[in-house]
Amino acid sequence: MERRTIFSGWLLPVVLVLPQLALTVVFFLWPAGQAIWSSMTRTDAFGIRTMFVGLENFSDLFTDPLYLDTIERSVFFCAAVAALSMGVALVLASAADREIRFRGLYRVLLVWPYAIAPAVAAVLWILLLHPQIGLIGRWLNSIGIPWDYKLNDTQAMLVVILASAWKQVSYNFIFFLAGLQSIPRAIIEAARMDGARGFFRFRTVVLPLLMPTVFFLLVVNLVYAAFDTFATIIALTDGGPGKATETLVVKVYRDGVVNLDIGSSSAQSVVLMAGVIVLTALQFRFLGRRSGGG
Amino acid sequence: MASLVLENLRKNFGAVAVLHGIDLAMASGEMLVIVGASGCGKSTLLRLVAGLEVPTGGRILLDGSDVAPLDPAERDIAMVFQNYALYPHMSVFDNMAYGLRIRGVAKDAIRTRVDSAAEMLGLTPLLMRKPRQLSGGQRQRVAMGRAIVRQPKLFLFDEPLSNLDAKLRVQMRAEIRRLQRRMAVTSLYVTHDQVEAMTLGDRLLVLHQGRPVQLATPMEVFENPANTYVAGFIGAPSMNLFPAALSHGGTAAVFSPGQVIAFTDGRRPGADGRKLILGIRPEHVAIDPAGMELQIDLIEPLGSETVVIGRLPDGELFSVKLPGAAPAGESMAVSIPAAHLHVFDAETGLRLDPAG
């Protein structure tokens, strides 16, 4: 049912939406506007003069092989994080959906990692995987597997994917569990009576009914992997070794904050912003259609 | 087609016993209706047979072999659910074909079987639709079709008509009966609706608080209810039940305001003064100017007949079903024909038949 309030004047509604509008303007529209402006400028090496260059920063970006590499790396990273965290969460949620002992405890424990700050999570992973002081890192080296994610590109990528995915498993778990529990028991029972078992039943009945949740989480996870993993990556590998774990956000930070190339950095953040807008629009459209279609 | 035998089937949920030991033997092709008020354990019984619940004790013999330890997939039993439980993401065709595909039936055989079931149920034009595009009655038919195409040993129906409107329910009831006869598949049907139970069952099993109370044909249950619970549960409006005491050496009963009624079918055992419950169905009550006065509370005209609910001189509620319209006035005089009297023991509630 739609609930609608009719205001007689215009003052009250304006006052009511003002705080939200103010926040949006100060923390989004203003900086975003500045980013768009500075993405079209170039500053000299001493930071004294700034000149307008139009779309030149953008054309430079998309002809820069380093930037294209970063895009490729980021896409791989996002896909890997989303697939890993969603896959693990789905397995855990399926397990928690069944009748098992200590189910409540199990669920609470699975949600905990979500409450851990990214930098703290990164430290936990360092304590596990560091080649000299990490439990797993030392063990790997002791059994003859050369392990040092500070030197090896592949290992570095593996570490940031693991750490990033781990943090998101909790979130995905909650949504998958809720999704699984909203599937009517009788439908599962009907499938059992029809003779469907185990993974076949999951694939043909459960998963199709879970698809809305899967799609929603896919978008959320891609956005998470693209942006919120920044702190984790910086703390774990700082984008290195070399550029091995440098994703798009990390590059924005390195180019802009560290190397002070404000123009290019701004252009990169505008590109990222466009990406998020597209993903969000997709999600809104999908969710809107869902609630409308029944 | 298969025979079904239940032996001392029991189910506890934690410390609570839901079924106290059910024994039952069904012939091949029989339709048995399990009826009882909600919470009597009838759905649990059905789910035990289906394999959706694990029994606490007892055996379930399908064609002589115990299926109790088997998964539902291995039992070859089909079930029609109360809320249909159709797969919402599959078309009507796929809903019906799902179980066959799992069993590895050849593609064209699936086509033939689904088509003929759809034909039988009038679903042919709807085969490509999704469940959400169907009306309640159509969904019900698809759920039936899904069970039919499997050609299982046993059909289970879990209150399949309770989500339909009254008119459709009557129509589907007849249809289920016709289909079941035609296919001659052994069927267990659970309902709380006594009209459904009476019209559908070859036999009824009346459950009360997890115990079987009576297992007999519908007419037998109606004419000779085993106890006061069955007497009150089967038949609409409910049988009038009122306290009385045995008298005249067991050949008659006295009820409250000194009224005596002589049994026509023989003497009941026990000493005079034994506490009884007498029962008379509303439709058997006679209008008799010399009878008791009934203060009329409420008149329910049903068209072809009329139900009058009133109070006897001692305040007992009493209902009368009359052919035709209700009498005018605040009260009417009624008497209880001894030929239609049901006699129960007041302590146990069990039916008291003539001795010897």
Side-chain angles (χ1 to χ4, degrees):
Chain A
M1 202 181 85
E2 195 184 0
R3 303 189 67 175
R4 183 172 285 188
T5 310
I6 310 285
F7 291 103
S8 52
W10 52 269
L11 188 64
L12 182 62
V14 167
V15 170
L16 287 176
V17 297
L18 207 58
Q20 190 58 47
L21 274 180
L23 282 174
T24 311
V25 169
V26 172
F27 290 106
F28 178 69
L29 291 181
W30 190 0
Q34 276 193 331
I36 292 171
W37 169 249
S38 54
S39 73
M40 292 186 283
T41 62
R42 187 165 292 169
T43 309
D44 69 29
F46 302 100
I48 294 165
R49 274 183 314 171
T50 300
M51 63 183 219
F52 184 81
V53 292
L55 296 178
E56 206 174 300
N57 283 330
F58 291 94
S59 58
D60 284 356
L61 265 187
F62 286 102
T63 49
D64 179 2
L66 286 179
Y67 188 68
L68 297 179
D69 279 354
T70 309
I71 290 183
E72 201 177 305
R73 193 181 304 120
S74 297
V75 168
F76 170 75
F77 172 77
C78 290
V81 168
L84 186 63
S85 64
M86 287 173 70
V88 171
L90 186 54
V91 171
L92 292 174
S94 304
D97 190 37
R98 289 190 298 190
E99 298 293 328
I100 51 171
R101 287 208 292 167
F102 308 121
R103 183 162 65 164
L105 183 71
Y106 176 68
R107 288 182 186 173
V108 169
L109 290 180
L110 275 170
V111 174
W112 271 2
Y114 194 59
I116 296 174
V120 177
V123 171
L124 291 178
W125 283 96
I126 289 172
L127 291 175
L128 283 176
L129 296 174
H130 195 279
Q132 279 91 44
I133 60 164
L135 286 172
I136 299 173
R138 280 168 63 102
W139 175 74
L140 283 172
N141 282 315
S142 76
I143 61 164
I145 298 172
W147 171 266
D148 190 346
Y149 64 86
K150 293 195 175 295
L151 297 175
N152 183 311
D153 287 6
T154 319
Q155 290 177 1
M157 190 51 134
L158 190 68
V159 167
V160 291
I161 288 173
L162 265 180
S164 306
W166 176 76
K167 250 198 79 51
Q168 194 66 5
V169 166
S170 302
Y171 183 89
N172 296 343
F173 169 77
I174 294 172
F175 276 86
F176 275 136
L177 187 60
L180 286 171
Q181 293 191 330
S182 69
I183 297 175
R185 278 280 154 260
I187 292 183
I188 307 297
E189 285 173 352
R192 287 179 68 190
M193 299 299 300
D194 264 343
R197 307 190 208 206
F199 184 70
F200 181 83
R201 187 169 72 222
F202 180 82
R203 189 171 60 78
T204 53
V205 176
V206 178
L207 199 57
L209 297 179
L210 207 57
M211 274 326 273
T213 311
V214 171
F215 184 78
F216 166 79
L217 284 179
L218 184 65
V219 175
V220 169
N221 277 270
L222 288 178
V223 173
Y224 160 82
F227 294 90
D228 297 348
T229 53
F230 173 75
T232 312
I233 295 176
I234 291 290
L236 272 174
T237 63
D238 201 14
K243 295 183 183 301
T245 54
E246 189 185 72
T247 60
L248 287 166
V249 262
V250 175
K251 188 169 163 60
V252 168
Y253 168 78
R254 271 195 175 173
D255 287 354
V257 180
V258 180
N259 300 331
L260 290 174
D261 183 357
I262 303 295
S264 173
S265 171
S266 298
Q268 291 174 34
S269 54
V270 169
V271 170
L272 272 178
M273 191 162 67
V276 177
I277 289 172
V278 168
L279 277 176
T280 312
L282 256 175
Q283 187 177 344
F284 270 26
R285 234 185 113 177
F286 180 75
L287 290 179
R289 196 179 66 210
R290 281 256 308 143
S291 57
Chain B
M1 285 218 285
S3 65
L4 176 72
V5 176
L6 307 183
E7 285 178 7
N8 191 26
L9 192 62
R10 286 176 295 117
K11 176 69 182 174
N12 300 349
F13 285 116
V16 185
V18 181
L19 288 174
H20 296 273
I22 307 285
D23 290 289
L24 182 67
M26 283 175 71
S28 194
E30 182 181 4
M31 179 128 177
L32 186 122
V33 175
I34 304 168
V35 64
S38 57
C40 72
K42 56 189 191 299
S43 285
T44 306
L45 178 53
L46 199 71
R47 293 169 60 82
L48 286 174
V49 176
L52 298 172
E53 302 280 356
V54 180
T56 308
R59 302 208 295 164
I60 303 167
L61 301 168
L62 193 58
D63 263 349
S65 61
D66 190 5
V67 296
L70 298 184
D71 192 77
E74 295 159 337
R75 295 193 184 192
D76 200 12
I77 294 174
M79 182 155 163
V80 179
F81 291 81
Q82 178 174 356
N83 46 16
Y84 321 132
L86 301 180
Y87 311 122
H89 56 294
M90 294 185 198
S91 67
V92 170
F93 182 91
D94 290 335
N95 261 283
M96 293 204 265
Y98 186 70
L100 298 177
R101 287 189 183 131
I102 290 169
R103 279 170 177 72
V105 177
K107 225 173 181 178
D108 37 338
I110 292 179
R111 180 97 243 172
T112 322
R113 271 157 83 167
V114 172
D115 280 347
S116 82
E119 182 73 44
M120 210 188 311
L121 292 162
L123 290 170
T124 309
L126 308 174
L127 278 175
M128 285 305 126
R129 295 227 189 135
K130 290 278 173 68
R132 65 167 178 277
Q133 298 166 299
L134 303 178
S135 69
Q138 289 167 336
R139 287 179 203 186
Q140 175 61 57
R141 280 163 207 273
V142 178
M144 299 268 303
R146 191 166 64 178
I148 289 171
V149 292
R150 290 251 318 271
Q151 303 174 354
K153 285 185 181 163
L154 186 66
F155 271 159
L156 304 177
F157 296 89
D158 188 7
E159 309 217 13
L161 303 181
S162 53
N163 284 5
L164 299 178
D165 62 56
K167 196 175 169 190
L168 208 51
R169 199 178 308 156
V170 174
Q171 199 182 324
M172 285 305 291
R173 194 170 75 204
E175 205 160 325
I176 287 178
R177 189 60 175 141
R178 261 199 301 276
L179 277 170
Q180 196 273 334
R181 284 257 166 81
R182 186 163 146 196
M183 304 183 57
V185 177
T186 318
S187 304
L188 260 184
Y189 188 107
V190 159
T191 182
H192 64 270
D193 181 326
Q194 45 122 347
V195 181
E196 256 172 52
M198 294 288 290
T199 51
L200 281 173
D202 292 318
R203 285 192 298 165
L204 300 190
L205 172 64
V206 185
L207 277 188
H208 181 47
Q209 294 176 345
R211 290 194 169 81
V213 188
Q214 189 165 14
L215 174 62
T217 64
M219 280 323 282
E220 172 71 13
V221 172
F222 185 78
E223 283 169 354
N224 297 310
N227 66 11
T228 49
Y229 176 76
V230 179
F233 188 75
I234 299 289
S238 294
M239 184 188 285
N240 295 299
L241 294 167
F242 45 95
L246 201 60
S247 71
H248 296 80
T251 57
V254 190
F255 59 100
S256 359
Q259 300 255 13
V260 177
I261 186 163
F263 304 136
T264 54
D265 51 354
R267 69 177 284 279
R268 261 62 179 182
D272 280 6
R274 179 181 186 177
K275 286 193 160 56
L276 303 175
I277 301 275
L278 297 184
I280 183 81
R281 294 205 179 274
E283 58 269 37
H284 293 148
V285 177
I287 297 183
D288 179 358
M292 302 173 287
E293 192 192 0
L294 182 73
Q295 287 290 331
I296 298 175
D297 264 1
L298 186 66
I299 293 175
E300 294 179 335
L302 301 175
S304 59
E305 48 207 13
T306 305
V307 177
V308 178
I309 300 164
R311 287 182 188 275
L312 290 179
D314 59 342
E316 283 290 328
L317 265 179
F318 201 82
S319 50
V320 182
K321 191 148 120 185
L322 304 168
E330 302 268 296
S331 69
M332 57 193 282
V334 295
S335 68
I336 297 167
H340 292 295
L341 197 65
H342 299 264
V343 185
F344 304 95
D345 181 72
E347 271 168 39
T348 60
L350 293 177
R351 180 176 194 81
L352 210 54
D353 281 319

